[in-house]
Amino acid sequence: MMKQLLAIPFALILPLANAAEHPVPFSWDTVPVYAHLANMSEDFTPEQHDFLAENFDLIAIEKGHAKRKHGSTEKGFAIAVKEIKKRNPQAKVLFYWNSTIHIGGYQANERFPEGGGLLSKDGEPLTIFNSDFSDLSQKAVRDWWSDTAEIAVRDLGADGIFIDAAGKFSNNSRRKVLSDEKIKALNDGLVSMVVDTRKKVGPSKLLIQNGVSLDPENIGARLLKVTDGAMKEHFVSAGHFEKEALAENMATLNRVAKSGKVTVIKAWPGFDWRDKEVMKTPREERIRMAREAITFPLACFLIVAEPYSYFCYTWSYQGNDTGTFVEYPEFKKPLGPPKGHALRDGWKYTREFAHASVFVDLESGDAKIDWKK
């Protein structure tokens, strides 16, 4: 028997904070999309600024943007924001700011508190990707982070902060080197830090976290009571998914979206920058593969999408060859608002939009989007 997707348990999540004061640009006219990228060496070209401004109203600019040219991520970011908003004044551009990893390339690092790095049970510095973890149990570190976020929105033109790596302290691998008491202090510190950031940047700026959860004990759910929304970074990769896990993710994202929170749903074309053999192929081949693979991830997104839901579809984040600057015909087709919630029958989902009919079968991996005009 066909049934609607599960209703949102409102007690777990607060609605979008002050939506009337800072509405995120949103429309059902076409597929709502989001860009998340960095350019490591040079500024984006005028053509790339044109593309970003024309195709996206919500954009996050990653760490390291043009830092080699300008000396810091902040300076490169400010230039990108200025150029994008010159072309699209309504665009919202987020400053990427990792919440737990002390990443190089930021001018803010000159102010990092002495002794602010995280140490293991044995007193050894904890690192990942050649970067140190920040000890968020220290107030000085939390103040440094929230002050930098304030500078980004006050002086650099950011419309908000993309808060990355919110769950890093809770990973099982961390439990081998950190005590349970320390992990709790770090997570409590993270929540306190985001609360302070909200006060500093004000209600008119966006706070979008990386990580989604409905478990009230999970750090992601705790942060959602403060932030405006979240990204699900590994929603689905075309051809690589487990139906049970994907169904659970779809239900969770739909519940979060129905609460009014911004939801960024990051999908992949079946490969990413870590697939060395694929990355050796010509860029046009990667574009062809991504275009061929888009139907299943996009259909899954449309099943769960609500107002303020955005689809992100790339194979990388950094550099020019990310998949961001690719034309996808599906993004130009008229979509129109949904006629109702998605319906589920076993592993099959259907949903009707004004100009499209969507079908997904998580068991077979089949998906179809019938565009009506």
Side-chain angles (χ1 to χ4, degrees), residues 46-343:
E47 293 76 18
Q48 289 172 331
H49 286 133
D50 291 343
F51 190 95
L52 291 170
E54 179 181 347
N55 290 281
F56 304 98
D57 287 331
L58 185 59
I59 303 165
I61 297 183
E62 263 263 23
K63 58 189 182 295
H65 175 66
K67 67 181 182 182
R68 296 173 191 165
K69 178 177 180 180
H70 299 289
S72 73
T73 291
E74 290 93 329
K75 292 179 181 178
F77 174 87
I79 292 171
V81 172
K82 181 180 178 180
E83 293 298 325
I84 291 169
K85 286 182 171 288
K86 184 190 303 182
R87 295 160 169 81
N88 179 5
Q90 76 168 354
K92 300 292 185 180
V93 185
L94 306 179
F95 180 80
Y96 173 98
W97 196 212
N98 196 293
S99 65
T100 60
I101 304 172
H102 183 206
I103 294 174
Y106 288 88
Q107 188 175 4
N109 290 339
E110 298 173 2
R111 306 188 308 274
F112 188 74
E114 185 176 355
L118 182 61
L119 303 180
S120 71
K121 296 176 184 177
D122 299 326
E124 297 295 326
L126 289 185
T127 63
I128 185 172
F129 307 132
N130 297 318
S131 298
D132 295 331
F133 279 92
S134 299
D135 187 350
L136 301 187
S137 68
Q138 299 184 31
K139 185 178 185 302
V141 175
R142 300 195 300 269
D143 289 346
W144 165 80
W145 194 93
S146 58
D147 286 346
T148 302
E150 182 181 17
I151 291 170
V153 302
R154 185 189 66 211
D155 299 339
L156 305 181
D159 296 293
I161 307 297
F162 181 86
I163 306 169
D164 198 12
K168 286 289 186 184
F169 294 134
S170 298
N171 290 355
N172 289 334
S173 60
R174 308 291 171 253
R175 296 187 179 277
K176 297 178 181 178
V177 293
L178 295 171
S179 68
D180 290 343
E181 293 77 14
K182 186 65 174 182
I183 291 175
K184 182 181 185 304
L186 292 167
N187 284 332
D188 289 348
L190 174 58
V191 174
S192 174
M193 183 175 76
V194 175
V195 169
D196 288 344
T197 301
R198 167 60 73 199
K199 294 175 182 177
K200 291 178 180 179
V201 303
S204 65
K205 299 300 180 180
L206 291 164
L207 298 180
I208 305 297
Q209 68 191 61
N210 190 356
V212 184
S213 175
L214 291 175
D215 179 355
E217 300 300 318
N218 185 280
I219 189 66
R222 293 174 64 190
L223 288 175
L224 267 178
K225 294 182 178 182
V226 184
T227 64
D228 300 293
M231 171 195 274
K232 175 61 179 176
E233 186 174 2
H234 299 288
F235 173 57
V236 65
S237 186
H240 303 281
F241 62 90
E242 296 180 356
K243 60 185 180 183
E244 295 85 0
L246 181 53
E248 182 177 354
N249 281 335
M250 290 171 67
T252 296
L253 286 164
N254 184 250
R255 295 175 192 176
V256 173
K258 283 179 179 176
S259 77
K261 294 286 185 178
V262 176
T263 51
V264 175
I265 297 176
K266 177 70 184 78
W268 305 83
F271 64 92
D272 61 36
W273 76 95
R274 295 167 295 187
D275 294 312
K276 296 181 180 179
E277 293 305 314
V278 175
M279 296 306 291
K280 290 178 182 178
T281 63
R283 181 173 182 270
E284 289 304 315
E285 175 63 12
R286 292 194 289 280
I287 293 174
R288 182 194 66 78
M289 294 169 63
R291 284 175 174 161
E292 287 186 355
I294 196 173
T295 300
F296 186 86
L298 179 56
C300 289
F301 165 79
L302 291 174
I303 290 295
V304 305
E306 298 291 338
Y308 305 107
S309 295
Y310 300 84
F311 184 64
C312 184
Y313 184 69
T314 65
W315 58 76
S316 183
Y317 293 127
Q318 301 204 5
N320 293 326
D321 186 17
T322 65
T324 299
F325 300 106
V326 174
E327 296 276 3
Y328 293 98
E330 291 82 356
F331 294 169
K332 300 297 184 181
K333 294 179 182 292
L335 176 64
K339 295 183 177 181
H341 299 310
L343 299 176

